[in-house]
Amino acid sequence: MKKFSTILILAFFSLMIFSYVNPDYVSPVTKVVEEAAPAVVKVEATVYSTSYIDPFIEDFFKRWFGDIPKQYQQKGTSLGSGFIFDKEGYILTNFHVVDGAEEIKVSLLDGTEYKAEYIGGDKELDIAVLKIDPKGSDLPVLEFGDSDKIKIGEWAIAIGNPLGFQHTVTLGVVSAVGRKIPKPDNSGYYTNLIQTDAAINPGNSGGPLLDIHGQVIGINTAIIAPSEAMNIGFAIPINTAKRFIDSIIKTGKVEKAYLGVYMQTVTDDLKKALGLKVSKGVYIAQVVKNSPAEKAGLKEGDVILEVENMSVSSAGELASIIHNYTPGSKIKIKIDRKGKEIEIEVILGRAEESFEEEVEAQEFAGIIVKDIDNADREKYQIPEEVNGVIVVKSKNGFIKEGYVIYKMAISGKTYKIENINDWNNTIKNVKKGDYVAFFYYYKGATGIFSFGY
């Protein structure tokens, strides 16, 4: 019995001793969360959609009967995260969180809710800016860090709303930098991403990735499917977003750079056919006259190996990397020229070809188009001789994003489409009962899609 009592007493004192280990310790992560969490918001974006089988019925309904009442539409909600970066109420988030939203609501940590206005953004970069009216409130804000200076192994703290669980905090490290992954819809690549093992789940999109000083180093945006791997998440470097924020606030969109080359991914067959000295990279098939590429000395036959120390293995990757920069940016490109590696400095040009007053394109048959700019030509490899309007959004499964519509036929009469004005004037001629055909160009091939209106 004495022995048992002694053991109990020792155990009791042991518990007392362990309970006082590091009594005054405060985790630096706790301090970061206390300072940063109030500026992180929950984003709820409401999207209305119809469930018609025929993609053209919706356009027909609008044309003859006006807008479809919301009670006949399906209502969906996209949940994500964001963070306030300016006292005036500006918020950064992912474009895919608010894409197509008709109503956006944000909630702060203290429960305050605001109706948010979509200011602008870009699908390719996957960044968007929202704005709330602070109504005299002193809004909490997050400070931007410098994502170019982060090091592998340093702390990474994610705050967001995974699966709707508001203001969830996860902790990890910067696992890698300069990562490239294909986008889920195969529309291009995310490039130069920060990889982290801090748990990121659906709903974290748009939220901040913070360093141990509480500064934003990235915007959480993607994860590897849990069925394939665990704790592999990615964030857009904050320096990428910083390049475009002013442009988005002023104009509602980003001003992208372009290089000015027509390119092809190096494959084993291409290497053997052309006698290339490298097995990986992007082959320059043509250099656009007077382009930044020509001015810098890039030539047909060169193989691009790296851009700013980031290796490139496909034409899609190269286009995405270039579009992460603004016009006037100086970048270093490493090429292989007949077996010799050369580094060339390029001053990137402006993607948009003109500064004339923009004409808004009218939506037709579930399709939204715009004039082609240099960034589009680089991304989709559209030759200079191909003109028309490019599809930026499609509500049907037939005409896809990236298609160039260069001609239309309406019940036997053909119309040439070279710009938005041509598009708007042509679709005005479509009447009930007409048969319509789109002539399109996509990835080196042409096609025709026809339907009855």
Side-chain angles (χ1 to χ4, degrees):
M1 187 67 182
K2 265 186 180 180
K3 188 175 180 181
F4 181 70
S5 300
T6 303
I7 292 171
L8 281 178
I9 292 167
L10 287 172
F12 174 74
F13 279 111
S14 296
L15 287 172
M16 288 184 66
I17 291 168
F18 283 118
S19 67
Y20 282 96
V21 171
N22 297 324
D24 298 321
Y25 173 75
V26 178
S27 167
V29 176
T30 301
K31 291 185 176 181
V32 169
V33 174
E34 287 175 352
E35 291 294 323
V40 179
V41 302
K42 179 180 179 181
V43 179
E44 297 178 71
T46 302
V47 180
Y48 292 95
S49 63
T50 54
S51 57
Y52 293 129
I53 296 174
D54 188 327
F56 302 104
I57 290 180
E58 180 180 354
D59 190 75
F60 171 83
F61 192 102
K62 288 181 178 179
R63 188 176 181 88
W64 297 103
F65 302 104
D67 287 335
I68 300 168
K70 287 186 178 178
Q71 59 263 37
Y72 296 106
Q73 296 180 314
Q74 294 179 333
K75 179 180 177 180
T77 301
S78 170
L79 292 177
S81 307
F83 57 93
I84 305 169
F85 65 91
D86 186 279
K87 289 284 186 182
E88 293 184 13
Y90 288 105
I91 294 169
L92 259 178
T93 187
N94 282 142
F95 181 87
H96 74 258
V97 171
V98 295
D99 184 18
E102 294 189 26
E103 301 168 11
I104 304 172
K105 182 177 72 174
V106 301
S107 307
L108 274 61
L109 179 61
D110 63 6
T112 306
E113 293 184 351
Y114 293 91
K115 183 178 179 180
E117 175 190 0
Y118 173 75
I119 299 300
D122 185 77
K123 181 178 181 179
E124 185 179 15
L125 297 172
D126 203 12
I127 57 175
V129 175
L130 312 177
K131 189 178 187 307
I132 59 176
D133 182 359
K135 298 176 182 177
S137 300
D138 185 21
L139 293 174
V141 298
L142 290 185
E143 182 182 341
F144 292 146
D146 185 350
S147 53
D148 290 341
K149 293 182 178 179
I150 61 175
K151 295 182 179 179
I152 296 171
E154 69 176 77
W155 291 113
I157 304 162
I159 306 178
N161 306 284
L163 305 176
F165 293 105
Q166 195 162 358
H167 284 81
T168 296
V169 178
T170 54
L171 176 66
V173 297
V174 173
S175 305
V177 294
R179 293 300 199 202
K180 297 167 291 187
I181 60 172
K183 293 186 177 180
D185 61 359
N186 294 316
S187 63
Y189 291 82
Y190 288 116
T191 60
N192 196 29
L193 296 177
I194 301 168
Q195 181 184 329
T196 179
D197 64 347
I200 294 174
N201 293 286
N204 274 111
S205 293
L209 187 69
L210 305 161
D211 62 17
I212 201 64
H213 306 293
Q215 294 182 318
V216 182
I217 55 174
I219 305 170
N220 299 319
T221 194
I223 58 172
I224 297 296
S227 59
E228 297 179 22
M230 295 293 290
N231 295 337
I232 299 181
F234 300 94
I236 298 168
I238 197 60
N239 284 12
T240 299
K242 281 156 66 173
R243 295 183 192 122
F244 299 98
I245 287 174
D246 287 345
S247 175
I248 292 174
I249 292 175
K250 290 175 183 176
T251 68
K253 59 182 183 179
V254 303
E255 190 176 29
K256 295 179 185 175
Y258 96 109
L259 179 60
V261 296
Y262 292 106
M263 50 200 169
Q264 179 117 13
T265 301
V266 173
T267 62
D268 190 51
D269 288 342
L270 188 68
K271 175 187 175 183
K272 292 175 180 176
L274 300 179
L276 302 178
K277 304 299 182 183
V278 292
S279 303
K280 189 177 179 181
V282 177
Y283 177 80
I284 298 180
Q286 183 184 347
V287 177
V288 178
K289 190 175 180 180
N290 296 321
S291 68
E294 184 185 63
K295 293 174 183 176
L298 290 172
K299 299 179 180 180
E300 181 180 327
D302 290 344
V303 177
I304 296 176
L305 306 174
E306 294 181 1
V307 176
E308 286 291 296
N309 298 316
M310 289 182 285
S311 63
V312 291
S313 56
S314 73
E317 283 182 15
L318 177 59
S320 294
I321 291 171
I322 296 300
H323 296 165
N324 272 267
Y325 291 92
T326 53
S329 298
K330 288 184 181 180
I331 62 170
K332 292 179 181 178
I333 296 179
K334 182 186 287 187
I335 63 168
D336 175 272
R337 181 174 289 168
K338 297 180 180 179
K340 182 180 179 181
E341 285 192 2
I342 303 172
E343 189 170 84
I344 294 177
E345 189 176 77
V346 182
I347 300 176
L348 296 175
R350 191 180 305 276
E352 295 186 2
E353 297 174 340
S354 70
F355 297 94
E356 297 176 5
E357 184 178 350
E358 290 189 13
V359 178
E360 184 177 353
Q362 300 299 309
E363 181 179 338
F364 175 69
I367 296 168
I368 300 173
V369 301
K370 74 176 186 69
D371 286 325
I372 304 169
D373 63 26
N374 290 323
D376 299 320
R377 292 190 183 278
E378 202 154 62
K379 180 178 180 180
Y380 296 105
Q381 292 299 283
I382 305 167
E384 288 181 277
E385 61 270 18
V386 174
N387 293 304
V389 292
I390 189 167
V391 177
V392 293
K393 194 167 187 178
S394 176
K395 297 179 182 178
N396 64 73
F398 305 103
I399 298 296
K400 299 178 181 178
E401 180 182 322
Y403 278 36
V404 175
I405 297 174
Y406 62 89
K407 190 163 61 175
M408 281 180 65
I410 304 171
S411 294
K413 189 171 182 180
T414 302
Y415 299 84
K416 194 173 183 180
I417 308 293
E418 291 189 339
N419 51 46
I420 292 300
N421 281 322
D422 291 344
W423 168 266
N424 287 344
N425 292 331
T426 299
I427 63 176
K428 288 177 184 176
N429 296 314
V430 182
K431 297 179 177 62
K432 182 180 179 181
D434 280 339
Y435 286 87
V436 180
F438 291 131
F439 292 73
Y440 64 85
Y441 172 93
Y442 185 67
K443 291 187 176 179
T446 57
I448 302 173
F449 175 69
S450 58
F451 59 95
Y453 196 77

